[in-house]
Amino acid sequence: MQTILYQFKALQKPDPDGHHERIACPTIILTGSEDGTHQSAFALKARIPNCELKVLPGAGHACQMEQPWLFDRFMIEFLAKHGLFPAVSKPTMGGKNRSES
């Protein structure tokens, strides 16, 4: 219970100046259209340089559980775009992977 109270107290404090603007790594925000914090996602995206935002229509705050197929698709596309998703070698005829040939 104490941990939850610490979280809520921390969330009430303003972010330091330039906090989000200093983010320099690939960033994506996934938000459900029915999430109570949905509208704040757009303002956050505007503060993070080169940030992507994807909306999961009809999903709420737990969009990764409510629409896992769309959440996974958005995440895999984002990770692949930035070279962060491992390549999967496809089996070829004869049972060997292309990387083994």
Side-chain angles (χ1 to χ4, degrees):
M1 184 66 155
Q2 192 63 38
T3 303
I4 294 171
L5 294 174
Y6 287 142
Q7 279 184 310
F8 281 112
K9 286 180 183 179
L11 288 170
Q12 291 174 340
K13 295 180 181 182
D15 292 320
D17 287 340
H19 177 74
H20 296 107
E21 292 79 2
R22 290 191 303 259
I23 296 173
C25 62
T27 308
I28 187 169
I29 297 171
L30 300 175
T31 179
S33 64
E34 305 308 309
D35 185 349
T37 63
H38 175 67
Q39 289 306 313
S40 63
F42 295 93
L44 179 59
K45 179 195 180 297
R47 291 193 304 271
I48 300 173
N50 303 311
C51 180
E52 296 179 36
L53 184 137
K54 299 285 185 179
V55 177
L56 288 83
H61 190 68
C63 60
Q64 73 280 9
M65 292 187 288
E66 296 170 39
Q67 293 189 17
W69 54 92
L70 187 55
F71 180 92
D72 288 352
R73 186 182 112 208
F74 286 156
M75 283 305 302
I76 290 168
E77 287 173 354
F78 173 79
L79 293 170
K81 175 180 176 181
H82 294 283
L84 301 170
F85 191 77
V88 178
S89 58
K90 297 179 182 175
T92 60
M93 294 181 65
K96 289 185 178 181
N97 289 342
R98 291 180 189 160
S99 59
E100 297 173 2
S101 304

